Amino acid sequence: QKEVEQNSGPLSVPEGAIASLNCTYSDRGSQSFFWYRQYSGKSPELIMSIYSNGDKEDGRFTAQLNKASQYVSLLIRDSQPSDSATYLCAVTGNSNTGNQFYFGTGTSLTVIP
Amino acid sequence: DTEVTQTPKHLVMGMTNKKSLKCEQHMGHRAMYWYKQKAKKPPELMFVYSYEKLSINESVPSRFSPECPNSSLLNLHLHALQPEDSALYLCASSQVENTEAFFGQGTRLTVV
């Protein structure tokens, strides 16, 4: 298994604040990076994908990728109570291994009204 | 449409039973995955099929047997499971390798 690490949390932020979630990965050849949200008892739901260095914004969500540092993050602006969930970072394999799709340990986020 | 359908939603089986989990997608995806997820843990990769061929088997015990009859279907055959195999079993698919994967709602399996 490839190593994908996240701060397990729990992370608590007040409503309206910015939540910052971080993920590091061990395989320098990893090509694709994803953030999933998982509510308790439900399956993971794709929030963001990012494939190249830099920032990618989608509504209140911004994903940031730094391949040199092997680091990917997710910022949630104007956090809402409905954002309370576990956030999973996922990383795919390199061009040789392909099709490997590994998850980090997950960060539990609670947004306090 | 990003729908992956898994059946059944819940399954209770004895340790001597044989059962199958089913997964179906009609998005034209050519990679399909089985994951196992225990409570408060991340999904753990079990098998990957790429173009209907098994490409990854993450050292899963032989009591779990995957099958990909065609590009839309993925099965997981279960036999002689142990209580510790009780978990949420998730199926996912992606267009090709290294692209966005979409998950089914999962099968909650209890082994008694």
Side-chain angles (χ1 to χ4, degrees), chain A:
Chain A
Q1 278 262 4
K2 308 301 182 186
E3 288 190 10
V4 183
E5 298 291 336
Q6 296 180 246
N7 292 332
S8 60
L11 174 65
S12 294
V13 299
E15 184 174 355
I18 296 175
S20 178
L21 306 165
N22 303 315
C23 173
T24 59
Y25 58 95
S26 62
D27 184 356
R28 186 169 287 279
S30 295
Q31 297 186 341
S32 308
F33 308 87
F34 308 93
W35 283 99
Y36 286 82
R37 175 175 63 198
Q38 188 172 26
Y39 294 111
S40 180
K42 302 294 186 182
S43 62
E45 172 191 9
L46 180 68
I47 300 174
M48 293 280 290
S49 58
I50 187 165
Y51 302 95
S52 55
N53 282 330
D55 294 359
K56 179 181 178 182
E57 186 174 321
D58 184 0
R60 296 186 295 113
F61 299 97
T62 299
Q64 299 173 317
L65 175 61
N66 183 327
K67 289 187 178 181
S69 300
Q70 295 176 238
Y71 173 90
V72 59
S73 67
L74 179 71
L75 298 178
I76 306 175
R77 290 182 299 281
D78 188 24
S79 295
Q80 301 297 308
S82 58
D83 294 327
S84 298
T86 296
Y87 288 80
L88 296 161
C89 170
V91 175
T92 64
N94 58 45
S95 58
N96 292 324
T97 55
N99 277 339
Q100 294 176 335
F101 206 102
Y102 295 107
F103 284 89
T105 47
T107 299
S108 176
L109 171 66
T110 300
V111 179
I112 303 167

Side-chain angles (χ1 to χ4, degrees), chain B residues 84-100:
Chain B
E84 59 264 29
D85 295 322
S86 298
L88 180 67
Y89 287 83
L90 293 162
C91 173
S93 71
S94 62
Q95 189 171 24
V96 290
E97 59 193 344
N98 293 334
T99 59
E100 301 169 335

